[in-house]
C-alpha cells in the first residue's frame, strides 16, 4: 500500500506544503541568483525518471555564463562562484526539485537521477533503479555518497528499490537532514564521472 499509493500521496502533500512554506526563501534566492549569477535563475537538466522516461529536473543555477575570448563557456570551476558554492553546500540549489516531486517526475526518496548519456552503460540489473521514481535523496546519499564507487551506489539503489517502506523513507529523510546541517558530502555534484562510460565501453 505504501509503495504504490501512500508514497505518492505523501510526495504530493509534502512538496505542496514545502513550496508554500518556503515561498519567501524561493523569492529571496531567486533575487540573489539573478543579481549575482545572471539569468535564467533556474536551469534544467534532462534526466531519466521512472521507466527511463526523460524529464526536466530543475535547480537554482550556481554558475555564471562567463565565456572566454573564443566564445566558449569557461571551465566549471571558474564559473562556480563563492555564492554558488554556498548554494550547493547548503543544498538550497535543490529546492526547485520540489516542483518535480509535486508533478510526479520525482519522489522525496529514491535513486538519484543521473545523466541521460549514461543509460547505455547500465547493466540489465542496474537498469532496475529506474523501476521507481528518482529521489531528491536516497539510500546511497546517506551511506557514503561521493566516497562510494558507482557500483556500490547502484547496489544501494537496487537495495532501496527492493525494500521500499514508510519507516525506511523516514529514516533516509532524517539522515539526509542531518547531513545537510553538517554539510557532510554535500555540494560535489551527482553526475557520473567520465570513467563510468570509459570503464564500460567495449
Amino acid at each position: 500500500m505504501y509503495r504504490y499509493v501512500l508514497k505518492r500521496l505523501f510526495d504530493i502533500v509534502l512538496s505542496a506544503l514545502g513550496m508554500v512554506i518556503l515561498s519567501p526563501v524561493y523569492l529571496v534566492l531567486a533575487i540573489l541568483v539573478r543579481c549575482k549569477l545572471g539569468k535564467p535563475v533556474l536551469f534544467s537538466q534532462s534526466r531519466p525518471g521512472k521507466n527511463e522516461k526523460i524529464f526536466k529536473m530543475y535547480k537554482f543555477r550556481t554558475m555564471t555564463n562567463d565565456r572566454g575570448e573564443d566564445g566558449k563557456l569557461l571551465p566549471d570551476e571558474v564559473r562556480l562562484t563563492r555564492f554558488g558554492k554556498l548554494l550547493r553546500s547548503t543544498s538550497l540549489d535543490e529546492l526547485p526539485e520540489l516542483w518535480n516531486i509535486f508533478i510526479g517526475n520525482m519522489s522525496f526518496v529514491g535513486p538519484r537521477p543521473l545523466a541521460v548519456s549514461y543509460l547505455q552503460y547500465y547493466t540489465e540489473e542496474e537498469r532496475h533503479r529506474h523501476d521507481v521514481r528518482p529521489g531528491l535523496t536516497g539510500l546511497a546519499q546517506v551511506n557514503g555518497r561521493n566516497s562510494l564507487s558507482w557500483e556500490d551506489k547502484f547496489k544501494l539503489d537496487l537495495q532501496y528499490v527492493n525494500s521500499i517502506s514508510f519507516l525506511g523513507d523516514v529514516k533516509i529523510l532524517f539522515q539526509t537532514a542531518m547531513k545537510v546541517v553538517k554539510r557532510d558530502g554535500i555540494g560535489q555534484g551527482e553526475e557520473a564521472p567520465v570513467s563510468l562510460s570509459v570503464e564500460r565501453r567495449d
Side-chain angles (χ1 to χ4, degrees):
M1 178 65 75
Y2 175 73
R3 179 187 182 112
Y4 297 106
V5 179
L6 295 181
K7 182 175 172 66
R8 178 63 190 136
L9 179 61
F10 288 157
D11 281 342
I12 294 172
V13 173
L14 293 179
S15 61
L17 285 174
M19 287 187 290
V20 171
I21 294 171
L22 295 172
S23 57
V25 178
Y26 279 100
L27 178 60
V28 172
L29 288 177
I31 293 172
L32 289 174
V33 170
R34 177 65 179 85
C35 293
K36 292 178 176 293
L37 301 176
K39 59 181 183 180
V41 169
L42 299 179
F43 80 101
S44 62
Q45 299 170 316
S46 294
R47 298 294 174 94
K50 186 178 180 180
N51 299 320
E52 299 184 0
K53 181 179 179 181
I54 308 302
F55 71 98
K56 293 291 187 182
M57 184 175 76
Y58 296 98
K59 291 186 178 186
F60 280 117
R61 68 180 303 165
T62 56
M63 295 189 290
T64 68
N65 284 324
D66 293 344
R67 298 175 181 270
E69 294 181 356
D70 58 0
K72 296 182 179 179
L73 288 172
L74 294 174
D76 289 357
E77 59 270 19
V78 176
R79 296 187 295 120
L80 180 60
T81 66
R82 177 180 294 183
F83 176 67
K85 291 179 181 178
L86 176 64
L87 290 180
R88 291 188 182 187
S89 69
T90 55
S91 294
L92 289 172
D93 62 318
E94 307 275 359
L95 285 180
E97 290 172 44
L98 289 179
W99 174 249
N100 288 119
I101 295 172
F102 181 74
I103 64 177
N105 296 145
M106 296 177 63
S107 177
F108 275 101
V109 183
R112 281 294 292 175
L114 301 176
V116 175
S117 59
Y118 292 102
L119 281 173
Q120 60 185 310
Y121 300 111
Y122 292 132
T123 65
E124 284 303 311
E125 183 181 13
E126 289 167 354
R127 298 185 85 95
H128 285 293
R129 70 193 300 274
H130 299 115
D131 289 351
V132 298
R133 289 181 177 86
L136 183 66
T137 186
L139 191 59
Q141 281 62 49
V142 297
N143 283 281
R145 194 172 180 172
N146 294 299
S147 65
L148 298 173
S149 68
W150 284 102
E151 285 70 21
D152 287 339
K153 287 183 181 181
F154 295 152
K155 287 179 182 178
L156 287 169
D157 288 341
L158 294 175
Q159 179 181 326
Y160 174 79
V161 170
N162 293 323
S163 60
I164 293 175
S165 70
F166 173 71
L167 291 179
D169 279 5
V170 171
K171 181 179 179 180
I172 291 172
L173 288 171
F174 176 77
Q175 292 175 318
T176 299
M178 293 299 97
K179 284 184 173 290
V180 170
V181 170
K182 296 178 181 179
R183 300 192 188 183
D184 179 14
I186 303 296
Q188 298 180 38
E190 294 287 352
E191 290 287 355
V194 175
S195 59
L196 176 61
S197 60
V198 173
E199 289 170 0
R200 298 186 175 186
R201 185 183 298 130
D202 268 60

